[in-house]
Amino acid sequence: MIKIATYSETVMDHFMNPRNVGEIEDADGIGEVGNPVCGDMMTFYVKVDDEDRLNDVKFKTFGCGAAIAVSSMVSEMAKGKTLDEAMQIGRKDVADQLGGLPDNKMHCSNLGADALHKAIEDYRNKKKES
Ligand code: FES
């Protein structure tokens, strides 16, 4: 029997009306991740204020519906957080906030947290160099 994955209303909302889509031209940090199996790509852009807080987060995602919903949710969860707090956002937190994801879509939630963390690491590396 074929099992059809169902999405929560929250996933559908973030997929149909994704928040914070786009690019920050003068981003302080950029993080890009891809999944070689499905070929989906996600890029996160962050802007950091003087108190090490994320005052803007945007993303561009080329991927499945779950990946778009995940990116949107991660951007909402990260905005206004300190860098340390944002680094604590885990894959499971994202899936939980979305009301769960089907098992075969859990890898999509990994991409979101990973891309955000990479963007923060990029910012931290640039800061060390300057
Ligand atoms: Fe790969 Fe969703 S199917 S990120």
Side-chain angles (χ1 to χ4, degrees):
M1 199 171 78
I2 299 171
K3 211 172 139 200
I4 298 173
T6 50
Y7 292 117
S8 71
E9 270 180 36
T10 314
V11 172
M12 289 310 291
D13 178 33
H14 280 264
F15 169 52
M16 302 299 278
N17 310 292
R19 283 57 148 185
N20 309 306
V21 178
E23 197 175 319
I24 301 175
E25 285 203 2
D26 56 344
D28 294 319
I30 300 175
E32 190 175 53
V33 293
N35 182 314
V37 179
C38 62
D40 291 356
M41 297 283 302
M42 204 179 270
T43 309
F44 263 77
Y45 304 85
V46 295
K47 198 83 191 139
V48 184
D49 71 11
D50 296 342
E51 286 164 15
D52 264 3
R53 226 171 247 287
L54 293 170
N55 63 7
D56 201 8
V57 180
K58 289 202 184 308
F59 71 90
K60 285 207 300 207
T61 293
F62 299 94
C64 70
I68 291 166
V70 161
S71 314
S72 170
M73 180 55 89
V74 168
S75 67
E76 288 280 277
M77 288 168 78
K79 260 194 184 179
K81 286 210 166 46
T82 65
L83 299 183
D84 287 340
E85 287 166 350
M87 286 303 275
Q88 301 294 319
I89 297 173
R91 305 150 171 201
K92 196 177 168 306
D93 304 322
V94 181
D96 287 351
Q97 285 293 318
L98 283 169
L101 281 170
D103 285 349
N104 65 343
K105 288 286 169 183
M106 280 307 286
H107 79 272
C108 316
S109 79
N110 300 352
L111 285 184
D114 289 353
L116 173 71
H117 296 166
K118 257 190 152 178
I120 293 171
E121 280 160 16
D122 180 46
Y123 163 73
R124 285 180 162 160
N125 288 337
K126 282 181 186 152
K127 211 174 153 189
K128 258 190 247 155
E129 286 163 16
S130 62

